[in-house]
Amino acid sequence: FPSHDRVAGGTRYSSPVSPTAMVSTDGRTWSDTDLGVSGDTTQHTTFSIANSSNLFVAASARVSSVMEALSYSSNGSNWSSGNGISSMTAAYDVAYNGSTWVGVGAGMPVVYSSDGSNWTAATTTFGTSGVSVAWGSNIWAVVLADGKIYTSSDADTWTLQTTILNPSHLRYVSGLWLLTRNSGSYRDWE
């Protein structure tokens, strides 16, 4: 599943590591921050953190009935569970495009939100878990565990584009879609 990211959020940086996340104000000195919410004493494996100018959203394995797979925080230290995603057993990646958040994972392969806290399942039916998501060139793209790559302009309705063997992590960087996989990187379908 996706590798761990470091995502900048203004002057505060978040770095997901198992089983907690870490925060730093300078990128050099780090301290643990538990992604648990009030009443939750379990630790969580965090796969990805995305941010807007005033919100962090973390994608994590859901290991308790109190903590959902997608959680959000305004400061990177105090976290709350997302709503509407009780069937999502794990979230593996999350991305933000300036107005919409998209999360991918198991149980509910693709979900989206306008505020980072209230989530809706995409109407397209997917046969397996989502493993990575990215926004670029005015489209969303998701990679599923079976290698299928879908794109969407609205995060709700998705169109199958291609299938890639052993997909891992998808990003849009400097005008290129990049996909890592077990046997290297693959660039195509645009």
Side-chain angles (χ1 to χ4, degrees), residues 110-129:
V110 180
V111 295
Y112 63 95
S113 172
S114 62
D115 62 9
S117 62
N118 297 295
W119 296 85
T120 302
T123 57
T124 300
T125 301
F126 302 95
T128 189
S129 298

Side-chain angles (χ1 to χ4, degrees), residues 84-98:
I85 51 172
S86 60
S87 296
M88 183 177 257
T89 56
Y92 300 118
D93 201 9
V94 62
Y96 181 66
N97 73 352

Side-chain angles (χ1 to χ4, degrees), residues 44-80:
H44 306 274
T45 299
T46 303
F47 297 105
S48 178
I49 296 177
N51 66 285
S52 67
S53 62
N54 61 355
L55 192 69
F56 295 96
V57 175
S60 306
R62 181 176 177 226
V63 294
S64 75
S65 60
V66 178
M67 182 71 179
E68 296 297 344
L70 290 163
S71 54
Y72 61 95
S73 171
S74 62
N75 61 15
S77 296
N78 301 310
W79 294 84
S80 299

Side-chain angles (χ1 to χ4, degrees), residues 1 5 42 46 48 58-59 66 68 100 116 136 162 169-170 187:
F1 288 84
D5 289 358
T42 57
T46 303
S48 178
V66 178
E68 296 297 344
T100 303
T162 191
H169 211 75
L170 177 70
R187 187 185 91 167

Side-chain angles (χ1 to χ4, degrees), residues 3 8 19-20 26 30 34 41 49 54 58 62 95 120 146 154-155 179-180:
S3 60
T20 63
D26 61 11
W30 295 86
D34 187 1
T41 59
I49 296 177
N54 61 355
R62 181 176 177 226
T120 302
D146 62 4
D154 64 5
L179 175 66
T180 60

